[in-house]
Amino acid sequence: MSFTRRSILAGGAAALVSALPVRAERILPATGPRVVVLGGGWGGLTAAKYIRLLDPGIEVVLIERRAAFHSCPISNWVIGHLRTVDEITHSYAALSERHGIRILHTEVEAVDVDAKAVVTADGVVAGDRLILSPGVAFDYTGIDGWNEAAARRFPAAWSPGPETALLRARLAELPSGGRVALTIPPSPYRCPPGPYERISLIAAYLKQHKPGSTITVLDANQKIVSKGKIFQAAWDELYPGIVDYRPDSPLVQVDASAGTVSSDFDDVAADVANVIPSQRASRLLHDAGLVPDGATWAPVDPYGFTSTLAADIHIVGDATDQTTVGKVPKSGFIANSMGKVAARAAVAALTGNEASPPSLINTCYSLVSPEEGASVGAVYGYDSETGLLQVRPGSSGVSSQRSATVALQAWDWARAIWQDMLG
């Protein structure tokens, strides 16, 4: 018998997930209290490691498709030829060798909400609690002409890996006087990799290596979303005649054969085009009934990042709904903080203790050139009256100007937080 989301939802979302595991063998039986973590990115990695640090008596199974960790933050530096793919790629080995985390590299097929289990290509892994950090899915609906040829011609390079290397290579092959196009979706979206940093580093590469080349930007947003004055000043001063920025210009059509991307106002022909699509919570969360029908993101209680639609399940990272969390960015640093909060909440629940109020920190570094950068940061605390995370008074700020010091800090921060998650 086959199941479809439409047919099973007629009987309730729980029916979908409870029906799936009967077709797969249960594997990795638990020997004690266990948390199963889905996703080896910033949120999932942090949660897995910190559960073991907080209580080594709790078993952790981490399920991740990729054999190695690839960092979204700093991936723009690879595209801009400042770093290599190897420099943003790291091993998961220390998590198992130093912290005793069981790691399963396999494809995930579904989440079983009732059984608190993850259905994988290798079998079903169950626990006492789940922490889900599956990231975002790309949404190309509304873009006329999008097909397999367009996907090959206009890579997103928004999840670090092969497409990052592909976009880097295409820029290297661009002739002098060549044309680059980049499209930005409506906010919110995963960031980093930030689109405005990417524009800056591509422009810097063109200026140095591809004289006469330009980059045209179609931004669906009405203005630069973050650090707008700093980016605009940098483009005006460092890249005059190179960056052609067009706000309020959502992408509506592509033509893979002609190499064009179009808004309602302009058709832009490009030798290299980077289409960054709209984003939403992972399909796995939608299929599991953890995202309401018609919604885009997964609602959670930010006190412990537990799903508002299912018990004993935490959701962290970019897939969470800002309307239920608070206006925090979908950044790597925030996912790292969410992972720590969820880890504390899961350990408290399994040991019969009360979780402490959550506190999150974010700093987002952006290069505007290979030598200079800017940053924005804030600390978020839990507001018991609204049930949301709010910026703590006096804790937020943005760079007043670009500087070489911030560019150096960005690389130091990346290495430190990679160690925090993976070391």
Side-chain angles (χ1 to χ4, degrees), residues 3-46:
F3 296 89
T4 66
R5 177 168 170 75
R6 181 181 299 274
S7 66
I8 297 175
L9 281 179
L16 168 67
V17 291
S18 63
L20 287 170
V22 299
R23 299 181 294 177
E25 179 185 358
R26 290 182 177 266
I27 60 173
L28 302 180
T31 58
R34 173 191 277 181
V35 178
V36 177
V37 179
L38 167 59
W42 288 65
L45 281 179
T46 305

Side-chain angles (χ1 to χ4, degrees), residues 218 246 249 261-268:
L218 300 180
R246 305 178 188 181
S249 299
V261 294
S262 303
S263 69
D264 284 328
F265 312 105
D266 303 292
D267 297 321
V268 178

